Amino acid sequence: MIVLARWPRISACLDEALDLAPAQRAEWLAALRARDLELGADVAALLAEQGAVESEGFLEGSAQLPAAAAPLIGRRLGAYTLQAPIGQGGMGSVWRAIRSDGEYDAAVAIKLLNLALIGAAGVARFKREGSILARLQHPNIAHLLDAGTTDDGQPYLVLELVEGEPIDAYCRRCRLAVAARVRLFLDVVAAVEHAHTHLVVHRDLKPSNVLVTANGEVKLLDFGIARLLETDAVDADGSAPGRDATRALTPQYAAPEQLHGGPITTATDVYSLGVMLYRLLSGRHPAAADDASAAQFIRATLDTEPARLSEPTATSPHASSAPTEGIAAERATTAAGLRRQLEGDLDNIVARALRKRPEERYPTAAAFADDLRRHLAHEPVSARADSFGYRFAKFVRRHRAGVAAGALVALAVVAGVAGTVSQARRAEAQTLLARSERDNARRELAHSEASNEFIGFLLQEGGDKPFTTSELLARGEQLVERQFAADPTEGARLLLMLAEMYGQDNQQKRALALVERARAALRDVDDPALRARLDCQLALHLTDNGSLEAARPLLDATIARLRSAPLGERDRVTLAACLGSRADHADVRGDTRAALADAQAAMLALGDPRPEYRMLAIGTRSTLANLQGKSGQLAAAVVSYEQAIAEIDAMGRGRTRTATTFHNNLGVLLSKAGQPLRAAAAYERGLEIARGSSDSNAMLEANHAKVLIELGRADESLPVFERSLAQAQAHANPRAVANIALIAAPAWCARRDVARCAELVASARGLATMLPAGHARLGTLAMTEAQLALARGEPAAARAALERAVAIFSAATEQNTIGIRATTLLARAGLQVGALDAAAAHAAGAVAQARAAMGGFEHSEWLGSALVAQGLVERARGDPAAAQAAWRAAVAELEPTVGTAAPATAEARQLLSER
């Protein structure tokens, strides 16, 4: 790996080496190594890489397929038959194939791992590509259809077959104008944005990996060197993540940090997108000539500032041999017209994407796309410094017909004084912000003193006898009414504090009432930050009470209001809290992508918080961890939660409601990861804390009861479910009641108590009125309805409900592993009604999904249960050897995750013993 600090010396030596004839380089390189071994090794590595790339025709297209490819034509891989090779890369070869099992006719692409790479490291990286593709479901990404292994142990992936041409060739052939190219490019950015929201960085974005079909549909391909943002420090083979990825990158499109070994982030893909857009619009590379060597591209990317997009091609120092008029004609314009279209916004947008420091680029692909859309709509863009004249010009462009000559005269007058006014406004804004910060500091100090005195008095007065949390909160309300009647600002802040405590105590309706009282008290007070905090807290409680439609516009308006004004520290903290509330709202709606974006923005707004805001930062990180889990990165999410728990322990808050919540959420993540034993331990730790403080947590109780069933302790779970339901009903929390009923119902179905199971399912159906159509939780509801149908002896109805559940899970943005259970149960239901082929397909699908959803864990209960079902199918098909192999593999997955006493492990062992 080349270290950036050494690059100037490396670059100078590389220039000298490239000027030498090949025969002279060996002697020169030996002398360099004698003087400086490390420098000589760096230069030799770059020269060797350049030689390898040039010999493979790296920049000219795909390398030739090996002669050994011919015998593979006609070979059967599972349900598919290979027809013809499509391409060859470092990781493997890609083939056109057809479905040949008679189920249906379809052409697909099959990617085979190179035989030379079969081994722990190669297979692990190949599986990682499959895992990445499995989690990405977007119309502009070629999606994964299936996966398997050949009889000789060669892994393969079955992918959507894309019939198209590279995006640059498509634009050239269709002679697309600049605006049309930008619109087409936005589909590429949308695909990359989808990958980023699922925490995947592509790392090899280039025109040959973006195909456009005959009907103009964009498809992003090849995630072979993609990297998960929260990948562990080492891969399965013990190597650094993506250790050979740097060698596999394309120098023309690689970001500077890829070349000097820096951290890979979403900004890395933004840079590659910038290079691609630059080429699509101008017809040339931003820093080097098209015929440059790999080493020259590397040197130019690291050392040379990109030329302005609108610079005339013929006079640019990096010009290609193509004439200016020819490039313009390919864009349906003249050279002068092309220059005018590229000047201004597009110049600035592309320049920002191509900045050498990642933190100076667009932070996300979404932000890049937003500026491009605003440019197309003739609206101001963030990549250009704001000014009145700039915004007025955009207004004129959007409303040409309505702008009269008088407006032009006014514009001329305004232009004469704009500089003076702008400077005065900036000075005034800075003065106002300083005053606001000073006033806010005074308010914070006064509030701190008042709240400390308030809480101290509350606890001191209750020292004679034990009070429950509810009683203390009720006394707090009375105290605020009496003591702060004449101070509406402080009264509102203390009511907000009490509302947050009520929310933590699962008394959402009471919390909602207090927030509304606080907002009413603040009606005539000028405190925008506190008003914003109250509005966002109101939206949060509306969300918890199932009023999603009322909460969303309140959140959007408040966040927009905060962002429209200069932000002091208190305002940034308020903005972070509001973004966190909107992330929770989006999460409840099932929009994981939006939730993740808001949670990341909240962390950015917080920055490095002061000590009094550490809990808000920890809470925001926990939200991010939850969303990581929903995006499929379960092991990383578990680590994040364990770190959050360690932080609050270090702060002396390890036995608080927050700690209880964190242990509950950790248990939920472990359950989703197929780790019931570890989940039970997390839940039990949370319950131990809750019981020690006389607190109750209905969802924690219910989650623990659910995992007890999986561990074979069903008798212990029934009273726990009843108790947690009673708690939720006592707190009048309809969403909690419906959620607990949903996870409790299967316990009674399993005991054949059909009446009680049906009651709980009916209660759980209330979620349909609280959640948007297609929410993943409704898939769980359909799966529970299937379990009720099975308990009633109605296998056909159960199968229909499971098919509905699988459809919901497949379409949801959340990566919900419960969908694996639905597919596994669908395979068993197919066996019950005699649909053997369908059962086999569902069992294979469940196994493939479970392997793709391991989330960084070595074993998974989801995979073990799916393998049990697959073994049952193989036995029904008359292949006892395959059935036994599946059950042995199932036991290896189940024992470390649910233990030997669990029903699933017992079933697998019983099946193994039957001969």
Side-chain angles (χ1 to χ4, degrees):
M1 182 178 294
I2 295 172
V3 177
L4 182 58
R6 295 203 306 268
W7 176 252
R9 295 183 65 208
I10 296 171
S11 177
C13 292
L14 195 58
D15 285 338
E16 187 177 348
L18 290 171
D19 289 337
L20 297 172
Q24 299 172 298
R25 282 184 196 164
E27 183 178 349
W28 177 88
L29 192 57
L32 176 62
R33 280 177 167 152
R35 295 195 311 271
D36 187 329
L37 183 60
E38 190 175 44
L39 180 62
D42 285 337
V43 175
L46 282 173
L47 291 171
E49 183 170 288
Q50 180 195 358
V53 168
E54 290 174 349
S55 67
E56 292 169 5
F58 187 70
L59 302 179
E60 287 73 41
S62 298
Q64 293 296 312
L65 289 167
L72 294 177
I73 295 174
R75 183 175 178 181
R76 180 79 175 262
L77 300 181
Y80 306 93
T81 300
L82 300 180
Q83 286 188 317
I86 297 174
Q88 175 82 13
M91 284 289 289
S93 56
V94 183
W95 290 73
R96 179 188 177 90
I98 56 169
R99 179 107 186 191
S100 52
D101 61 355
E103 287 286 325
Y104 57 87
D105 294 329
V108 298
I110 290 185
K111 186 168 186 176
L112 281 162
L113 176 64
N114 277 348
L115 288 170
L117 295 178
I118 292 181
V123 170
R125 283 189 288 275
F126 194 74
K127 286 184 176 179
R128 184 166 64 233
E129 179 181 359
S131 175
I132 288 169
L133 286 169
R135 67 195 293 189
L136 302 180
Q137 298 294 325
H138 189 275
N140 298 120
I141 296 177
H143 56 273
L144 179 71
L145 302 174
D146 202 352
T149 306
T150 65
D151 294 339
D152 54 4
Q154 188 174 13
Y156 64 86
L157 304 175
V158 182
L159 308 165
E160 174 188 3
L161 179 65
V162 180
E163 304 277 10
E165 59 186 318
I167 188 171
D168 54 347
Y170 177 87
C171 290
R172 188 164 51 249
R173 181 176 61 79
C174 296
R175 301 173 73 85
L176 293 186
V178 167
R181 289 173 185 241
V182 172
R183 291 190 189 95
L184 190 69
F185 181 75
L186 280 169
D187 288 342
V188 184
V189 184
V192 175
E193 180 189 352
H194 177 78
H196 288 178
T197 59
H198 287 73
L199 307 180
V200 175
V201 183
H202 190 285
R203 298 205 295 173
D204 195 25
L205 294 168
K206 54 187 176 183
S208 60
N209 280 339
V210 180
L211 298 187
V212 185
T213 64
N215 61 2
E217 184 180 24
V218 166
K219 289 288 184 179
L220 177 60
L221 313 175
D222 197 357
F223 281 80
I225 65 168
R227 180 175 182 178
L228 305 181
L229 284 178
E230 66 290 320
T231 298
D232 292 335
V234 293
D235 285 338
D237 63 342
S239 64
R243 178 182 56 187
D244 57 350
T246 302
R247 296 183 61 82
L249 56 78
T250 307
Q252 284 176 296
Y253 296 90
E257 61 268 24
Q258 286 178 283
L259 301 175
H260 63 62
I264 303 300
T265 67
T266 54
T268 303
D269 279 351
V270 168
Y271 184 92
S272 299
L273 286 169
V275 178
M276 194 187 309
L277 181 59
Y278 192 107
R279 299 206 69 154
L280 289 176
L281 298 183
S282 73
R284 68 186 195 276
H285 189 274
D290 287 343
D291 58 357
S293 67
Q296 288 168 330
F297 272 116
I298 292 171
R299 187 167 61 249
T301 299
L302 291 173
D303 294 347
T304 306
E305 283 302 318
R308 295 286 285 177
L309 180 67
S310 61
E311 285 185 7
T313 304
T315 60
S316 170
H318 312 297
S320 67
S321 58
T324 302
E325 290 297 341
I327 289 176
E330 288 176 355
R331 288 146 184 81
T333 186
T334 63
L338 178 60
R339 195 175 309 120
R340 281 195 302 272
Q341 292 178 59
L342 300 183
E343 283 174 342
D345 284 349
L346 285 176
D347 260 336
N348 292 319
I349 291 169
V350 174
R352 182 174 177 184
L354 291 176
R355 287 176 184 166
K356 297 197 183 298
R357 293 171 60 87
E359 63 270 22
E360 294 177 356
R361 299 175 205 146
Y362 288 100
T364 64
F368 190 9
D370 184 60
D371 256 5
L372 289 172
R373 291 191 190 96
R374 294 180 71 82
H375 163 73
L376 291 174
H378 308 299
E379 296 176 353
V381 302
S382 69
R384 178 161 177 168
D386 202 5
S387 68
F388 175 83
Y390 173 60
R391 287 183 174 273
F392 191 89
K394 289 296 179 182
F395 176 85
V396 171
R397 184 68 184 270
R398 294 197 304 273
H399 306 285
R400 289 178 179 177
V403 179
L408 296 176
V409 173
L411 176 61
V413 174
V414 169
V417 298
T420 303
V421 172
S422 175
Q423 290 174 6
R425 285 180 176 172
R426 280 198 297 271
E428 182 183 3
Q430 289 170 356
T431 302
L432 289 173
L433 183 59
R435 289 175 182 169
S436 175
E437 286 289 272
R438 182 190 62 203
D439 293 343
N440 283 338
R442 289 173 177 167
R443 288 193 192 106
E444 291 298 314
L445 178 60
H447 171 63
S448 177
E449 292 171 347
S451 59
N452 286 342
E453 189 273 337
F454 170 75
I455 292 173
F457 177 79
L458 196 60
L459 295 176
Q460 182 181 14
E461 287 296 298
D464 297 341
K465 68 171 213 178
F467 279 91
T468 65
T469 299
S470 296
E471 288 170 337
L472 280 173
L473 291 173
R475 292 181 72 247
E477 287 186 59
Q478 297 169 6
L479 185 60
V480 170
E481 290 277 348
R482 293 195 306 268
Q483 186 172 342
F484 296 96
D487 187 351
T489 300
E490 196 55 50
R493 296 184 75 159
L494 291 172
L495 285 174
L496 174 60
M497 183 176 69
L498 291 171
E500 290 172 344
M501 292 179 179
Y502 271 121
Q504 292 170 3
D505 198 41
N506 290 315
Q507 299 188 55
Q508 301 300 337
K509 290 191 180 300
R510 193 70 206 135
L512 182 60
L514 258 64
V515 172
E516 288 176 332
R517 277 172 54 191
R519 292 176 82 234
L522 208 65
R523 187 174 292 118
D524 298 323
V525 176
D526 182 22
D527 191 339
L530 180 55
R531 189 182 302 279
R533 187 67 180 269
L534 285 166
D535 287 347
C536 292
Q537 193 71 14
L538 174 62
L540 181 63
H541 292 305
L542 286 170
T543 300
D544 286 336
N545 282 279
S547 302
L548 295 180
E549 294 305 317
R552 179 61 187 268
L554 186 58
L555 285 166
D556 289 345
T558 306
I559 290 170
R561 192 166 69 245
L562 284 166
R563 283 175 163 167
S564 67
L567 292 178
E569 181 170 16
R570 183 170 174 235
D571 303 306
R572 286 197 303 273
V573 171
T574 302
L575 175 61
C578 288
L579 286 165
S581 295
R582 194 166 69 176
D584 288 337
H585 181 276
D587 190 19
V588 171
R589 292 198 332 267
D591 191 346
T592 305
R593 172 177 158 184
L596 190 61
D598 274 338
Q600 290 170 332
M603 288 299 300
L604 188 63
L606 271 177
D608 186 13
R610 291 202 323 230
E612 58 264 40
Y613 302 127
R614 279 180 64 192
M615 285 306 298
L616 176 59
I618 292 171
T620 306
R621 278 199 294 275
S622 72
T623 299
L624 268 175
N626 288 332
L627 295 167
Q628 281 179 320
K630 291 184 178 183
S631 299
Q633 291 307 293
L634 294 161
V638 165
V639 169
S640 294
Y641 253 113
E642 289 172 339
Q643 290 172 342
I645 290 169
E647 275 194 71
I648 60 174
D649 276 342
M651 293 172 66
R653 302 189 184 191
R655 301 193 66 82
T656 61
R657 279 196 190 91
T658 301
T660 302
T661 301
F662 280 12
H663 283 289
N664 175 70
N665 294 350
L666 175 59
V668 170
L669 285 169
L670 288 164
S671 289
K672 286 183 177 181
Q675 312 294 316
L677 279 173
R678 288 181 63 184
Y683 292 138
E684 286 159 9
R685 175 62 177 151
L687 287 169
E688 184 265 324
I689 295 169
R691 289 165 187 156
S693 60
S694 301
D695 281 338
S696 62
N697 189 316
M699 283 306 303
L700 175 57
E701 295 265 15
N703 287 332
H704 182 233
K706 178 177 178 289
V707 83
L708 288 178
I709 297 172
E710 297 173 21
L711 298 177
R713 298 160 59 186
D715 289 343
E716 297 177 50
S717 72
L718 299 183
V720 177
F721 275 132
E722 296 289 18
R723 184 167 65 249
S724 59
L725 270 170
Q727 291 171 7
Q729 289 163 347
H731 286 140
N733 188 333
R735 192 153 64 95
V737 170
N739 277 318
I740 293 170
L742 178 64
I743 63 177
W748 275 271
C749 281
R751 292 173 63 89
R752 293 294 188 269
D753 187 343
V754 177
R756 181 58 176 151
C757 183
E759 287 177 10
L760 292 169
V761 169
S763 180
R765 287 187 180 121
L767 289 169
T769 64
M770 303 177 197
L771 299 173
H775 193 285
R777 191 67 53 82
L778 300 181
T780 306
L781 175 60
M783 190 170 70
T784 306
E785 289 173 332
Q787 290 168 295
L788 175 59
L790 286 173
R792 286 171 168 165
E794 302 169 352
R799 191 176 180 211
L802 287 168
E803 287 173 342
R804 189 167 69 253
V806 168
I808 291 171
F809 286 126
S810 298
T813 59
E814 175 186 339
Q815 299 247 341
N816 198 319
T817 48
I818 301 175
I820 302 169
R821 180 83 73 220
T823 308
T824 300
L825 291 174
L826 193 52
R828 288 178 175 259
L831 283 176
Q832 286 189 4
V833 299
L836 191 57
D837 288 344
H842 289 307
V847 170
Q849 290 170 30
R851 291 191 191 281
M854 297 292 279
F857 287 92
E858 187 176 354
H859 298 288
S860 163
E861 184 271 335
W862 305 112
L863 178 56
S865 294
L867 286 165
V868 172
Q870 189 172 55
L872 292 170
V873 170
E874 295 296 344
R875 183 177 67 179
R877 297 173 79 172
D879 192 344
Q884 289 282 315
W887 293 328
R888 278 194 299 274
V891 169
E893 296 294 327
L894 293 169
E895 285 189 341
T897 55
V898 290
T900 56
T905 311
E907 181 187 16
R909 285 204 165 279
Q910 175 62 33
L911 290 166
L912 268 175
S913 67
E914 298 172 0
R915 296 290 180 181

